[in-house]
Amino acid sequence: MNSVFVYCEIEEGVVADVSLELLTKGRALASALGVRLEAIVLGSNLGGIEKQLFPYGVDVAWIADDRRLAPYTTLPHAKMLVKLFEAEKPQVALMGATSVGRDLGPRVSSALHSGLTADCTSLEIGDYTDAKTKREYKNLLYQIRPAFGGNIVATIVNPDCRPQMATVREGVMKKEILDPARVGEVKRLNVGEFLDDIDFVVKVIERHVEKSRLNIKGAAIIVSGGYGVGSRENFGLLHELANTLGGEVGASRAAVDAGFAEHARQIGQTGTTVRPKLYIACGISGQIQHTAGMEESSIVIAINTDPTAPINKFADYVITGDLNTVIPKMIQYYKKNSK
Amino acid sequence: MKELKIVVLAKQVPDTRNVGKDAMKADGTVNRAALPAIFNPEDLNALEQALRLKETFKGATVHILTMGPGRAAEIIREAMYRGADGGYLLSDRAFAGSDTLATSYAISRALGNLEYDIILCGRQAIDGDTAQVGPQVAEKLGLPQVTYAEEIRGIENGKITVKRRLERGVEVVECPLPTVVTVNGSAPACRPRNARLVMKYKYARASQEGAGERAELLDQHPYLRLTEWNVNDIRCEATELGLNGSPTKVKTIENVVFQAKESKALTADDAGIDELMKELIANHTIG
Ligand SMILES: Cc1cc2nc3c(=O)[nH]c(=O)nc-3n(C[C@H](O)[C@H](O)[C@H](O)COP(=O)(O)OP(=O)(O)OC[C@H]3O[C@@H](n4cnc5c(N)ncnc54)[C@H](O)[C@@H]3O)c2cc1C
Ligand SMILES: Cc1cc2nc3c(=O)[nH]c(=O)nc-3n(C[C@H](O)[C@H](O)[C@H](O)COP(=O)(O)OP(=O)(O)OC[C@H]3O[C@@H](n4cnc5c(N)ncnc54)[C@H](O)[C@@H]3O)c2cc1C
C-alpha cells in the first residue's frame, strides 16, 4: 500500500521521455520506501503500452483507454487522478513539469488538499522535525527546487498531507532501464465509472504539435554558444565543431533571443537541463540561469575573451581567447590527433 | 450578451530577473532589499488581454485582485493607469507564509465576493516560480481552466476561444464561461500608461496606505478609494490560511553561491589547443 505513483504522458503511442525519467526516479524512491511503483496512463489507442513501462521497474500499470482522453484536456484527466488517488492513497505522486503536468498537477493538488512542489531538480528521502511542534517525521520526500529566479534553492517537504506531489522538468532526471524482461500487473480503469459528459466541456478545436526532433538532452557532447558568438552565421562554426566531435549544438538564452539559434537548443533554467560528457561553452558568460542547466556536465571547456567570465568557475579547462580563432584550431587539432 | 466582467489576478514581485551586481552581496547571496518591487511580468500580459476584451465588448469591466502587503496597491494603480476600472487589495497578516494552496484558497474566497465571467492570471510569478495558483483557484471555484493562453480569439454564445502556446506547438480550445485563463509571456505586451489616466488615478489609495493630506480629495472622488479586504471580509476558515493552511513547508533555503572548480588554464595558441585535444582523446572524452 501507499505506493509511489507516476503520471505518464504519451506522445503518439510512445511514453514521453520525461515520464520514463520519473519512473526511473520513482523506482529508486519506491525501493527506498519499500513500496510499489505504479504508473498511470490515460489516453487513447494504448494497446501494449505497458510493455514500455515495465522495464523501468513498474509494478502496476493503471491504464484508461478511451477516445475522449486524447488529446489531453484538464478536467477529465484531473478527475480521474483525484478519484484514483482518493482510493489508492499514494504517498508520493510525480508528474512532468510540462505543459500537461503543470496544468494538471495544481488542479489535482487543490482538489486533494495536498502540497505540490514545482520544478524539482532533485528528490530524496529523508527525515524532518517540525521546528514548532518538534514532531518528527520519518521518510518524507525532500523536494529540492530553485526559486527566486534561480538565486535560491529550497528544500520543501509535505509533512501531513498525501500524496506528496512534485513536478520535474524533462532532462532533469536520468532514465535507465531496470530490467528489459520485467513484467508487472495491468489494471484497467473503466472511464465511465469516473467521468460524466460535463467533464468534457472544454473542446480542442485545433492542434499543431511538433515532435521533438532535436535530441540535445541525449547528446554526449554539446558545443554551446552564447551572445559572444555574434551572429547566426558564426553559429555555423559551432555546428562544424559539433559535427566533427559527434555532438549537438546548444545555446544560451541571450543567443536564442538574438535569433542566433532556435529555442529548442536553449540550455538552462528556462530551457533544457543537460548533463553531457563534454560541454564546450563558447562566448557564454555563465549566468546562473544558464549554469543551472549544465553544471552537472562531466567536463566543461570555457572559451571566452574575458578571463574573469563567471563560466570559468564551472570549467575544467579555461581557454581565454576569441572563439573565432579557437574553434577552427580545435577542429584542426582534433582531426590531426584522432587519426 | 450581458456585460462582461473580468477580474485579473496580479501579484507584486521582487524583480528577480535583474539580480545585478549590487543585488548580490559579497558572500554571493541575494540582497533582496536591493530588488525593486514590480508588477509580475506575465500578469501584465494578462491585463492586456483583459483590456482588449474591454475594448471589444461594450460595457465590459476590468478589476484587479491582488493579495499582498499594503504597498501591493501600487500595482492596482499601475493597472488603472493602463485602463483597468479598479481593484481590490486582499491584505492580512494571517496570509503570511502561504504556499500556493493557501494562496489560492484566500484568493478564491475573495473572488466569492465578486461577480466574474473571466478570471485572468499570469502563467507564473517570477519569485515563487510555480505556475500553480491559477489552476488551483479554478479548481476551488469549480471552474474549467485554460492555461498558457497566447491570444483570446473571441467570445461567442457564452464560450471563449483561446490559442494556447505549448512547449512544442499550439492548440486552440473552446471553453464555456465562466472560466480561469492563465496568460503566457509570449502573448502581446501590455500597453503603456495613459497620461490622462495617470492624472486621474495617481492619488488613488488603499486604506492601509493612508490618504495623508489628500483625504479631502478622496472624499470628493470615492473612486480613488481602493477597496481593501482582510480575513473578516472574506468567508474563510482560519485553519486554511497562511502557514497553517499550507501543506508544503520550507525545510531549508540555500542561497546559490558560486563555487569555483579546480580548472586548468590553457593558452589559445596552437600548442595549447593541440595539447587539449590530445588529452581529451586520451581520456576518452572525445574520439
Ligand atoms: C527567469 C530567467 C530565466 C533565464 N533562463 C535562462 C536559460 O534557460 N538559459 C540561459 O542561457 N539564460 C537564461 N537566462 C538569461 C541569463 O540570465 C543570461 O542573460 C544569459 O545566459 C546570458 O547569455 P550569454 O552568456 O550568451 O550572454 P552574455 O552575458 O552577453 O555573455 C557573452 C559572453 O561572450 C563573451 N564573448 C564576447 N565575444 C567573444 C568572442 N569573440 N570570443 C569568446 N567570447 C566572447 C563575453 O566576454 C561574455 O562573457 C534567464 C534569465 C532569467 C531572468
Ligand atoms: C523559495 C520558495 C519556493 C516555493 N516553492 C513552492 C512550491 O514548490 N509549492 C508551493 O505550493 N508553494 C511554494 N512557494 C510559495 C509560493 O511562492 C507562494 O505561495 C506564492 O504566494 C504563490 O506562488 P507563486 O509565486 O509561485 O505564484 P504562481 O502560481 O506562479 O502565480 C501564477 C499567477 O497567479 C496569480 N497570483 C499568484 N499569487 C498572487 C497574489 N498574491 N495575488 C494575486 N494574484 C496572484 C498571478 O496571476 C500569477 O501570475 C515557494 C516560495 C518560496 C519563497
Side-chain angles (χ1 to χ4, degrees):
Chain A
M1 273 320 263
N2 297 326
S3 307
V4 171
F5 272 69
V6 175
Y7 170 86
C8 296
E9 290 178 42
I10 307 296
E11 291 165 359
E12 295 179 28
V14 179
V15 181
D17 271 353
V18 67
S19 306
L20 298 177
E21 292 158 13
L22 286 174
L23 288 174
T24 306
K25 186 69 195 181
R27 180 66 263 169
L29 296 173
S31 299
L33 294 166
V35 301
R36 289 190 306 207
L37 173 65
E38 312 200 17
I40 311 161
V41 185
L42 311 178
S44 154
N45 284 326
L46 297 176
I49 200 81
E50 64 277 7
K51 295 193 194 89
Q52 296 178 43
L53 302 171
F54 293 137
Y56 289 86
V58 171
D59 298 305
V60 180
W62 297 87
I63 297 172
D65 198 338
D66 188 302
R67 202 171 33 81
R68 298 169 301 169
L69 291 176
Y72 167 87
T73 50
T74 315
L75 300 177
H77 281 239
K79 193 163 172 188
M80 293 210 57
L81 283 196
V82 168
K83 288 193 171 177
L84 185 63
F85 288 174
E86 279 171 347
E88 296 296 317
K89 301 192 177 7
Q91 54 177 313
V92 171
L94 308 176
M95 47 188 84
T98 56
S99 22
V100 169
R102 296 189 87 179
D103 180 85
L104 177 64
R107 185 101 197 172
V108 172
S109 84
S110 184
L112 295 173
H113 196 286
S114 65
L116 171 62
T117 305
D119 257 349
C120 295
T121 50
S122 176
L123 297 170
E124 294 162 17
I125 303 293
D127 300 338
Y128 171 72
T129 308
D130 187 288
K132 245 197 276 169
T133 62
K134 301 283 175 248
R135 189 166 154 203
E136 281 177 44
Y137 297 85
K138 292 263 173 248
N139 292 331
L140 290 188
L141 183 67
Y142 286 179
Q143 301 157 120
I144 299 160
R145 68 170 300 237
F148 223 73
N151 295 290
I152 62 176
V153 175
T155 301
I156 292 173
V157 291
N158 302 333
D160 297 309
C161 301
R162 294 292 175 271
Q164 307 168 78
M165 293 180 64
T167 64
V168 179
R169 266 178 215 242
E170 180 171 351
V172 171
M173 305 290 174
K174 279 174 231 176
K175 75 169 185 197
E176 223 168 320
I177 287 184
L178 181 74
D179 171 6
R182 193 181 156 105
V183 284
E185 185 186 350
V186 174
K187 292 192 180 174
R188 302 213 174 264
L189 296 167
N190 181 353
V191 176
E193 290 169 17
F194 285 80
L195 302 177
D196 309 307
D197 288 346
I198 184 93
D199 299 313
F200 296 95
V201 290
V202 177
K203 302 259 185 286
V204 176
I205 51 187
E206 235 180 276
R207 197 161 195 272
H208 310 278
V209 175
E210 295 166 24
K211 269 194 143 175
S212 49
R213 305 145 279 143
L214 248 165
N215 187 15
I216 187 138
K217 226 170 18 115
I221 296 173
I222 296 176
V223 181
S224 198
Y227 194 69
V229 174
S231 66
R232 199 173 177 95
E233 291 67 54
N234 268 2
F235 250 80
L237 209 52
L238 276 67
H239 282 282
E240 211 182 310
L241 178 59
N243 288 341
T244 308
L245 300 178
E248 260 300 349
V249 171
S252 74
R253 181 154 111 178
V256 171
D257 286 350
F260 302 169
E262 55 271 47
H263 182 262
R265 299 193 186 277
Q266 184 175 314
I267 288 163
Q269 192 194 332
T270 46
T272 308
T273 300
V274 296
R275 47 172 69 75
K277 212 161 61 165
L278 176 63
Y279 190 86
I280 309 180
C282 313
I284 294 179
S285 60
Q287 299 306 309
I288 185 157
Q289 292 87 359
H290 183 79
T291 56
M294 51 65 70
E295 63 195 356
E296 286 182 48
S297 306
S298 309
I299 293 188
V300 176
I301 301 177
I303 307 172
N304 202 303
T305 42
D306 175 4
T308 66
I311 188 75
N312 292 350
K313 295 186 186 156
F314 293 86
D316 301 271
Y317 300 94
V318 173
I319 306 177
T320 302
D322 184 341
L323 62 93
N324 293 296
T325 55
V326 173
I327 295 178
K329 282 199 206 327
M330 290 177 84
I331 297 171
Q332 181 192 338
Y333 287 103
Y334 172 76
K335 287 186 175 160
K336 183 188 135 219
N337 291 313
S338 65
K339 283 207 181 98
Chain B
M1 191 169 81
K2 146 170 123 18
E3 281 144 16
L4 198 64
K5 293 196 167 50
I6 305 165
V7 178
V8 178
L9 304 183
K11 183 182 184 188
Q12 195 182 40
V13 294
D15 191 357
T16 56
R17 295 168 314 168
N18 289 313
V19 181
K21 288 202 173 67
D22 54 334
M24 295 305 278
K25 294 192 230 160
D27 61 358
T29 63
V30 191
N31 178 12
R32 292 182 199 213
L35 299 178
I38 59 166
F39 206 116
N40 180 50
E42 289 182 314
D43 301 354
L44 281 171
N45 298 104
L47 176 62
E48 177 61 25
Q49 291 298 317
L51 295 174
R52 288 182 181 199
L53 289 173
K54 182 176 150 92
E55 286 165 349
T56 311
F57 295 96
K58 201 168 168 292
T61 54
V62 175
H63 286 85
I64 300 292
L65 171 61
T66 186
M67 177 172 121
R71 66 165 187 279
E74 280 166 15
I75 67 169
I76 300 180
R77 279 191 292 279
E78 198 56 57
M80 291 168 81
Y81 298 160
R82 295 159 197 253
D85 297 282
Y88 304 86
L89 171 66
L90 180 61
S91 189
D92 201 300
R93 282 183 169 279
F95 303 136
S98 294
D99 72 354
T100 59
L101 198 74
T103 300
S104 62
Y105 177 76
I107 288 177
S108 64
R109 289 309 159 117
L111 284 163
N113 287 352
L114 299 173
E115 283 181 55
Y116 49 78
D117 301 294
I118 306 175
I119 298 166
L120 282 163
C121 315
R123 177 187 62 100
Q124 180 163 339
I126 61 170
D127 54 345
D129 276 341
T130 68
Q132 291 175 184
V133 171
Q136 289 180 330
V137 166
E139 194 282 334
K140 295 228 172 325
L141 296 171
L143 300 180
Q145 69 193 42
V146 180
T147 52
Y148 300 97
E150 192 166 78
E151 184 194 347
I152 293 178
R153 291 265 171 92
I155 299 176
E156 229 173 304
N157 304 324
K159 287 184 180 163
I160 189 168
T161 308
V162 182
K163 177 176 148 206
R164 306 177 65 213
R165 170 64 51 186
L166 308 177
E167 55 218 335
R168 292 202 196 85
V170 292
E171 193 177 84
V172 179
V173 301
E174 185 188 81
C175 174
L177 298 181
T179 185
V180 172
V181 177
T182 80
V183 180
N184 212 40
S186 58
C190 194
R191 63 198 62 194
R193 296 171 169 186
N194 171 311
R196 190 181 54 78
L197 294 174
V198 174
M199 288 307 291
K200 183 171 177 191
Y201 292 125
K202 68 178 167 188
Y203 296 116
R205 288 292 178 274
S207 56
Q208 240 188 88
E209 295 181 290
E213 68 255 43
R214 307 276 174 193
E216 206 176 309
L217 198 67
L218 265 64
D219 288 338
Q220 284 164 9
H221 304 288
Y223 61 82
L224 293 178
R225 290 202 186 277
L226 302 180
T227 309
E228 188 176 322
W229 289 327
N230 61 29
V231 275
N232 301 317
D233 301 310
I234 59 174
R235 247 172 295 146
C236 61
E237 301 287 338
T239 51
E240 298 295 312
L241 300 174
L243 221 47
N244 287 335
S246 298
T248 64
K249 310 283 177 211
V250 176
K251 181 178 164 283
T252 48
I253 285 200
E254 280 169 66
N255 287 289
V256 175
V257 183
F258 288 111
Q259 234 165 18
K261 257 190 181 180
E262 283 281 324
S263 66
K264 193 162 167 179
L266 297 173
T267 46
D269 58 14
D270 288 79
I273 307 289
D274 191 10
E275 201 51 46
L276 170 67
M277 294 327 254
K278 279 187 185 138
E279 189 172 325
L280 293 179
I281 292 168
N283 66 22
H284 304 290
T285 302
I286 55 177

